[in-house]
Amino acid sequence: MDRTDTVRHCPEVTMRESTSQKPPTRDRLPIGGWEFLALLARLLPRPRRGDRRLPVLWLVRPPGTPDVLALVRRFLGQGPRRRVPHAVIDAAAQPPGTEVPALLRDLHRQLSLEAFGTARLRFRHYPLADWLMQQSLSVGLDADEGRSALVRRLRDRRGPRGAAEPLPAGGDTVSIASHVLLWLVRRAVPGAVFRLAVSGRVPVIGRHYRWFMRQQYLAPRQSVTFLGFAERLTAGWRDGEQPDQVNKLLLHAFLEDLRQAYRRRPWRPADWRRTAYPVLLLDNVAPGNLGHVLVCLLTDVRNETGRNDPLLVVAAGDEPPAELTEPHPLDEADEAYDEWSAALPEMRRLRRAAAWLVVLRPDPVETGPPPRGGLRPFSAPEPPWWSRRFLPAALAVVLVATGGAWAGTRWGTGCHPSLSGGRVAVELVDGECVGYSDSAAQLFNDDPGQDRLRAVQERIFAQNRAAEEVWRRSDRRRPYLTLVYFGTLTGNRTRADEESYVSEREELEGMATAQYALLKESAGADGAALLRVVVANGGRQMRHADRAVAMLADLARDDPTVLGVVGMVESRASTARALAELNRVGLPVLAPTLSADRMDANSRLYLQVSAPNTDQVRMVEAYARQVLKVDEAHVYWTTGEGSSFEKDLYVNTLVDGLKERFGARLTRLEEWRTGKRLTAECGYDGLLFFAGRWSEFDGFLRALRECGDNPPRHLVGDDSVNRYIANPGLRAAAPGNIPVTYVSKASLGTCAALRAAQQRRDEARASFLTWIQADDLLDPPRCRPDRPHPVGERVSLAYDAAMMMVRAVESLAARLHHADAGQRWEPTAVNPVGVHAEVLRQNAGTGYPGVSGLIRYPPDSGEPVDKRLALLRVERVPDVAAEPVEVWHCGAADRPTPTPAPCAATGSPPR
C-alpha cells in the first residue's frame, strides 16, 4: 500500500482525550456511503469454506458530514431475526483513568449477551485472565500461603465446594462409609481433577490452562507452572511486568476465545451456525486516546502471533491515525480493501504498525440523497440446512429409528453383541439367534424349560476362563486349542416343562467333560493340552448353517487356536452344505452322532464318531432275523416339520438301506404324518420299525394307543428315538403297554457299562465315570449310587470327538517340542488340516479307545469301521426311573477284529 507509514506512532500509555460527539444526520449518507455499506455486506458474512482476514476500517469524519458510524450501527442492529454480533464503545465517553482492561471488559460484556438471534459467544481464556488481574494476594504472606490461597480461589471459581459435614457420632459402618464417599465426590475428586487440569500434563483436561503456558506474552515459561504464571497476573505481583505486555495478553486471550467460538468442526453442527463475523464499533477514536491504543494493540497482537481472528473493527474519528495519514476516498472503499488484502502478507512480515488499517474519508462537501425506503438492516445469513437446530434432533431420531429397525432385524433380546468382553458374533435370522459365543455374555436359547441347556453353556464358558488362566500360569507352555461346538440350539416348539434340546445339551456336556478332564491335569504337565470351547448355533435343522459358518470362518482367520468343529447334530442337506463350506475354509469336523451314509463325501476333513446307517440297518435286520425271528417288516418314516425326504439325508439313507436289506420282506413302507391312524398295526407280530425323527415319535406312540390291549408286538425305533427317551416330559404321556426297543450309538457309555468297566480296571471309562460324577461339572451329576441319573446317549460320543482332537494336538506338540519340553506353545505351529491328518494317523491302526467304543477309520473314508452299536429296550415308556436294558449289539468294543465283529445278544463278552 502506497499510503503506509513505516514509523510507529501508537501511544505506549493509555490516556483519555475528550472529543465532542456529533449527532448523526438521520438517513443521510455521504458520497461513498453506499459503497462502504456494500463493503461491510461483503466482509461480514462468513465464507462457506475457510475464513477471510478482517481489517480495521478507520473512518475519518470531517465536520458537517453525516455520522456514518451511527448508520452502521442501525445497519447492524435492526435485523429481523439473526443479527450480526456487535459491540459499541465510545472512546471519548470513558471515565477518566479508564484503561485497556476496562475497555475489554465492556467489549466482553456486550458480545456475551444472547441478543443476536444465535447462541451467545462463550469465553474461557479472557475471563480467567481478567479474573486473575482482579485478585489480590497479600504481599506479606508466605509464598506457599499465597499459592495455596490462589489455588483455593481458582478451585472455587470452577464451582464452590460444599461445606464439610461432620461424621455422625456413633454411626454405623454404612453411614460412615456413605459420608466418606460423599466427601470424596464433593471435595477430594474435584480437587484432584483441578490439580491435574492446572498441571497441564493430562491432554484431555485443562486445555485453557495449557494455552496460557504456550502463548508468548509475559514469558510464561519462566514460571514453569500455570499457578506460578497466574500469581504474576494478580494485583501487586504484576507491578513488575510491562503494562503493554499485560494488555496484549488480555487482548490475545480475548481473540483466542473468538477464534475458538468461530472454529468449524465437522462433528459439531452448532459451529456452522455462526454465519456473520462479530463487529466492534469504536467511536470517537483519536490519535493517542484509549480507542487508538486498542487499535494499536490489536495490530501488534495480530502481527506478533501471526494468527487471524474473526473480529471486524470499524473505528471512526475526526482525524486519520498517525500510522497512515493519507486515507482513501470513501467511494473507493471496495478497491481500498482489495489493495490492503493484497499487501497484507508483506506488511505482516515487516510488522508494520499500519498493517491492518484501511483508512477511509468521505467527501466533506457533498452528501448523497436519503436512501429510498430508509436504511435496510443487515441480517446474518441463514446457516447451512444441515446445521439447523432441528436437524440434529431429527437426524438422531432417524438414526435411532433406522438403527433400531436394523438392529431389530439383526439382534434381539438374548441375541446381541457382547458389551462385556468375550468373542461373540450373532445375528437374528428368521427369529433365531445364529452365530457363536465363547462367554456368558451370550447364551443361546432363552425359551422356557431349557434351563439345563443354558446351564451347561455357562459351565463351558466358566471353564474357558479357567483354561486361559491355567495357560497363562504355565507360561503358555501347554498346548492350547479351541474347538467349536456347532449345533441346532434354537427353533424347536416347546412347552415350559419340556426339554427340547436334549441331544445338544448332552453333546455340550461331553465337551464340558473333556474340558474338565484337561483342567484336572497336573500343573507341571506341560504336554497336556487345554481346551477352549466356542458354542455356535446354526438354527433349527441347521437351516442357517451357511450364515453361522461365515462367522466361524472369520473367527478361524482371526484366532489361530481354532482347530476344528464338533457337533452338527442332524444329517440334512443343510448340514451337508455346511460341511462343504467348512471344508472350503479348512476346518475339520468331528460329528459325534451324524450317521447318514457317505456324509464324508461333502468334506475331505470330515470324521464321524458313530457308525453309518449301513451298519444300523445290518444290526436291525440281524436282530429281527436272529432274535425276533420274524419274516416281514413294516417301516414308517418321518422327516420333521418343514423338511422333506430328499432334504433329510438321515431318513433318506436309512430307508434306502432298509429296502435293500429286507428286500421282499419289507411289506409296508409309508410316511407317517400327525393325525394318521395306525390301527392296521394293532396286533402286528412282525417288525414295526420307526425310521423317522424323534419329534414325531411321541405322536406315533399316541396313535398306537388306539390298539388298546392289542398293540404291535415288536416296536423298534432308530437312534433318533433316543432323544425322545431322554425327555421325561414327553414320556409321561406315552402308553405303558407298548415296549420300545431303539438303536443306541453309546451303549458302552451308560452307567451300568461304565461301572462294569471301572471294576475291570478300564482306565479310559473309569476316568470318564469319575468326571461325570463330580460335584462341580454336570448338573445333576451322573451315575451316583445315591442318585443314579443316566449319563445321556451323546455325552460320551461328544467327549470322544473332543478328546480325539486334543490327543492329536498333544501328539503334534510333543514332536514340535521334543528338543525342549519347556518351550512356549505357539498356536500357529499347527493348523486344522494338520490336526485332521494326525487324527487319521493315530486311528488308522489299532484305533482310538473311546468311551463309546473303539474308533478306527479306513484311509479313504471318514466313517468309522465296525463301530459299536446296540439295541436298548424300555418295557414301560412312562417309567423314566427304569434304566434301558441292552438286548443286542454289533461292532467292536475295545479290540479291532480282522472282519466286522458279529452281532450278539446281551451277555456275550465285549469285543
Side-chain angles (χ1 to χ4, degrees):
M1 293 176 63
D2 54 359
R3 294 176 174 82
T4 302
D5 183 5
T6 60
V7 182
R8 171 77 183 195
H9 293 282
C10 293
E12 295 296 329
V13 295
T14 58
M15 61 179 61
R16 177 179 179 275
E17 292 187 5
S18 61
T19 56
S20 60
Q21 183 176 0
K22 302 171 179 59
T25 304
R26 184 174 180 81
D27 285 340
R28 299 290 296 175
L29 289 173
I31 296 298
W34 286 116
E35 287 79 359
F36 179 70
L37 294 181
L39 175 61
L40 288 181
R42 173 186 172 187
L43 296 180
L44 289 175
R46 296 185 71 189
R48 290 289 185 179
R49 293 184 179 180
D51 276 300
R52 61 170 56 95
R53 292 166 296 190
L54 299 173
V56 175
L57 301 176
W58 187 302
L59 295 175
V60 179
R61 190 168 45 200
T65 59
D67 189 347
V68 179
L69 201 65
L71 293 174
V72 170
R73 183 174 179 180
R74 293 179 55 199
F75 179 71
L76 299 177
Q78 297 180 357
R81 191 166 63 89
R82 294 176 54 84
R83 297 191 296 150
V84 176
H86 62 279
V88 181
I89 293 179
D90 188 345
Q94 302 301 315
T98 302
E99 297 183 347
V100 170
L103 213 62
L104 289 175
R105 205 169 294 134
D106 188 19
L107 177 59
H108 167 252
R109 179 188 61 80
Q110 293 187 52
L111 289 181
S112 296
L113 294 175
E114 193 170 347
F116 305 110
T118 57
R120 70 185 184 91
L121 292 169
R122 297 186 180 274
F123 295 80
R124 297 193 69 186
H125 301 84
Y126 167 75
L128 176 58
D130 186 56
W131 178 85
L132 287 170
M133 292 181 63
Q134 297 180 58
Q135 302 304 303
S136 176
L137 300 179
S138 300
V139 179
L141 284 177
D142 180 78
D144 291 337
E145 293 180 2
R147 175 72 60 87
S148 298
L150 182 60
V151 168
R152 284 195 301 270
R153 295 180 195 177
L154 277 168
R155 191 165 55 221
D156 291 342
R157 180 179 177 270
R158 290 165 57 95
R161 296 179 295 171
E165 298 181 12
L167 290 176
D172 57 12
T173 303
V174 175
S175 177
I176 293 174
S178 65
H179 276 75
V180 171
L181 181 61
L182 185 62
W183 177 84
L184 287 171
V185 171
R186 285 185 174 180
R187 306 194 65 174
V189 173
V193 172
F194 171 76
R195 287 286 185 179
L196 286 175
V198 298
S199 72
R201 297 190 182 98
V202 181
V204 180
I205 59 176
R207 287 180 295 180
H208 56 300
Y209 297 122
R210 282 195 298 276
W211 180 88
F212 280 97
M213 300 304 294
R214 292 173 181 174
Q215 57 83 36
Q216 64 199 69
Y217 296 113
L218 295 181
R221 294 293 183 182
Q222 294 180 0
S223 301
V224 181
T225 65
F226 170 77
L227 292 175
F229 183 71
E231 280 183 316
R232 291 169 53 194
L233 292 178
T234 58
W237 290 102
R238 70 170 179 273
D239 291 345
E241 308 291 346
Q242 293 184 15
D244 189 55
Q245 290 286 302
V246 175
N247 291 337
K248 287 180 181 179
L249 171 62
L250 279 176
L251 181 58
H252 186 27
F254 184 88
L255 295 177
E256 177 64 21
D257 287 327
L258 287 182
R259 293 185 199 105
Q260 293 196 10
Y262 275 75
R263 181 174 53 183
R264 286 171 170 166
R265 289 159 288 193
W267 60 90
R268 291 193 60 181
D271 293 347
W272 297 75
R273 297 188 197 122
R274 301 195 188 279
T275 58
Y277 293 113
V279 181
L280 168 60
L281 301 180
L282 197 56
D283 201 4
N284 293 316
V285 180
N289 77 348
L290 193 59
H292 188 206
V293 171
L294 184 60
V295 170
C296 290
L297 286 174
L298 179 65
T299 298
D300 288 344
V301 169
R302 287 177 173 178
N303 284 341
E304 292 167 4
T305 62
R307 300 188 63 189
N308 297 327
D309 59 77
L311 182 64
L312 176 63
V313 178
V314 180
D318 295 342
E319 301 176 24
E323 304 95 291
L324 196 62
T325 57
E326 299 183 20
H328 286 271
L330 190 61
D331 57 358
E332 297 179 8
D334 209 53
E335 293 83 351
Y337 170 76
D338 292 337
E339 183 181 341
W340 166 84
S341 182
L344 178 63
E346 180 67 13
M347 301 277 283
R348 294 182 73 174
R349 186 181 67 82
L350 298 175
R351 296 194 177 186
R352 295 290 177 82
W356 293 88
L357 285 172
V358 176
V359 183
L360 302 169
R361 179 194 294 272
D363 191 303
V365 179
E366 299 184 26
T367 60
R372 296 181 180 179
L375 187 65
R376 293 185 180 181
F378 177 83
S379 296
E382 292 295 323
W385 64 269
W386 45 264
S387 67
R388 303 294 174 88
R389 291 182 181 276
F390 73 88
L391 193 65
L395 186 60
V397 170
V398 171
L399 288 175
V400 169
T402 305
W406 178 78
T409 60
R410 185 178 178 88
W411 301 307
T413 304
C415 183
H416 50 76
S418 169
L419 301 178
S420 58
R423 299 295 294 266
V424 177
V426 291
E427 64 180 62
L428 210 59
V429 183
D430 295 338
E432 296 186 64
C433 190
V434 175
Y436 67 82
S437 170
D438 77 341
S439 75
Q442 171 62 52
L443 300 178
F444 290 101
N445 201 312
D446 57 0
D447 292 343
Q450 313 314 311
D451 298 336
R452 294 181 67 186
L453 178 64
R454 292 189 290 272
V456 69
Q457 292 179 71
E458 290 177 339
R459 166 56 54 188
I460 284 174
F461 297 148
Q463 293 184 162
N464 282 347
R465 297 192 299 272
E468 187 174 1
E469 178 62 26
V470 171
W471 189 46
R472 283 200 298 265
R473 286 205 305 268
S474 73
D475 197 24
R476 304 194 175 192
R477 292 175 180 169
R478 295 176 63 172
Y480 182 81
L481 71 150
T482 298
L483 294 179
V484 177
Y485 173 77
F486 194 14
T488 59
L489 300 172
T490 55
N492 294 343
R493 291 186 296 173
T494 181
R495 301 195 311 262
D497 60 344
E498 176 187 343
E499 186 181 6
S500 294
Y501 301 88
V502 175
S503 298
E504 293 80 0
R505 186 256 301 163
E506 289 180 352
E507 290 182 355
L508 285 169
E509 287 176 338
M511 301 285 286
T513 304
Q515 272 187 306
Y516 185 85
L518 296 169
L519 285 170
K520 291 301 180 180
E521 294 281 359
S522 170
D526 290 341
L530 292 164
L531 175 62
R532 167 176 165 254
V533 176
V534 172
V535 178
N537 179 35
R540 186 170 183 266
Q541 298 179 358
M542 300 296 284
R543 291 174 180 172
H544 308 301
D546 54 345
R547 187 69 197 95
V549 169
M551 297 183 194
L552 292 176
D554 293 338
L555 174 65
R557 279 193 296 269
D558 296 340
D559 186 352
T561 69
V562 177
L563 296 177
V565 175
V566 174
M568 309 304 284
V569 184
E570 294 183 340
S571 304
R572 297 184 182 272
S574 56
T575 308
R577 290 193 298 271
L579 287 175
E581 188 63 20
L582 287 168
N583 178 73
R584 187 187 67 81
V585 300
L587 281 178
V589 176
L590 270 78
T593 58
L594 295 192
S595 59
D597 295 330
R598 302 306 303 166
M599 286 296 287
D600 58 343
N602 298 285
S603 171
R604 60 184 178 84
L605 301 175
Y606 170 80
L607 298 170
Q608 67 187 48
V609 177
S610 298
N613 280 351
T614 301
D615 292 357
Q616 183 175 165
V617 168
R618 181 172 66 88
M619 181 184 69
V620 171
E621 190 274 335
Y623 178 70
R625 178 168 39 83
Q626 298 180 34
V627 178
L628 300 181
K629 301 191 183 299
V630 296
D631 295 329
E632 63 176 39
H634 292 174
V635 174
Y636 290 88
W637 57 269
T638 69
T639 60
E641 183 182 1
S643 187
S644 66
F645 188 74
E646 292 73 21
K647 294 179 180 179
D648 194 331
L649 304 181
Y650 169 77
V651 173
N652 189 309
T653 59
L654 182 61
V655 169
D656 286 349
L658 290 167
K659 288 192 294 184
E660 181 180 350
R661 193 81 182 181
F662 279 88
R665 292 177 294 161
L666 185 57
T667 57
R668 179 174 295 169
L669 176 62
E670 297 180 8
E671 180 185 9
W672 184 85
R673 294 181 179 273
T674 302
K676 183 175 183 177
R677 302 181 66 186
L678 294 172
T679 53
E681 304 301 332
C682 295
Y684 178 61
D685 58 1
L687 174 67
L688 177 61
F689 190 74
F690 178 83
R693 291 292 181 177
W694 73 277
S695 51
E696 284 78 39
F697 189 69
D698 179 55
F700 188 83
L701 276 181
R702 284 189 280 106
L704 290 174
R705 192 192 294 273
E706 285 191 81
C707 294
D709 296 334
N710 188 31
R713 293 184 58 190
H714 307 299
L715 175 60
V716 178
D718 58 18
D719 72 276
S720 181
V721 171
N722 72 72
R723 300 179 70 174
Y724 170 84
I725 296 298
N727 195 317
L730 293 178
R731 289 176 61 179
N737 64 338
I738 306 178
V740 173
T741 304
Y742 63 94
V743 176
S744 172
K745 297 173 178 176
S747 61
L748 296 175
T750 63
C751 291
L754 292 173
R755 283 192 287 266
Q758 189 179 45
Q759 291 175 359
R760 64 175 184 267
R761 300 182 184 279
D762 183 334
E763 182 60 30
R765 295 187 178 95
S767 297
F768 179 75
L769 178 61
T770 301
W771 305 140
I772 63 176
Q773 288 178 331
D775 290 323
D776 55 346
L777 178 57
L778 305 182
D779 185 20
R782 311 298 158 81
C783 302
R784 290 263 189 96
D786 55 333
R787 288 187 299 168
H789 195 90
V791 182
E793 172 78 7
R794 302 178 179 227
V795 177
S796 61
L797 294 168
Y799 174 84
D800 286 344
M803 292 306 291
M804 278 199 296
M805 293 285 283
V806 169
R807 297 311 177 203
V809 172
E810 289 177 343
S811 175
L812 291 173
R815 294 206 295 273
L816 288 169
H817 296 168
H818 69 281
D820 182 8
Q823 183 180 345
R824 278 192 172 191
W825 171 252
E826 178 54 53
T828 57
V830 298
N831 60 64
V833 176
V835 173
H836 172 266
E838 181 65 17
V839 172
L840 285 177
R841 190 192 68 80
Q842 289 184 346
N843 298 349
T846 58
Y848 175 77
V851 174
S852 62
L854 188 68
I855 304 172
R856 290 185 300 146
Y857 297 103
D860 59 346
S861 173
E863 295 178 346
V865 176
D866 201 24
K867 180 67 194 305
R868 184 64 169 245
L869 285 171
L871 285 170
L872 304 183
R873 183 177 177 84
V874 176
E875 290 296 333
R876 294 190 71 257
V877 177
D879 186 5
V880 296
E883 195 167 339
V885 177
E886 182 180 314
V887 297
W888 188 250
H889 66 258
C890 299
D894 298 306
R895 296 187 302 275
T897 57
T899 59
C903 297
T906 301
S908 300
R911 288 182 291 274

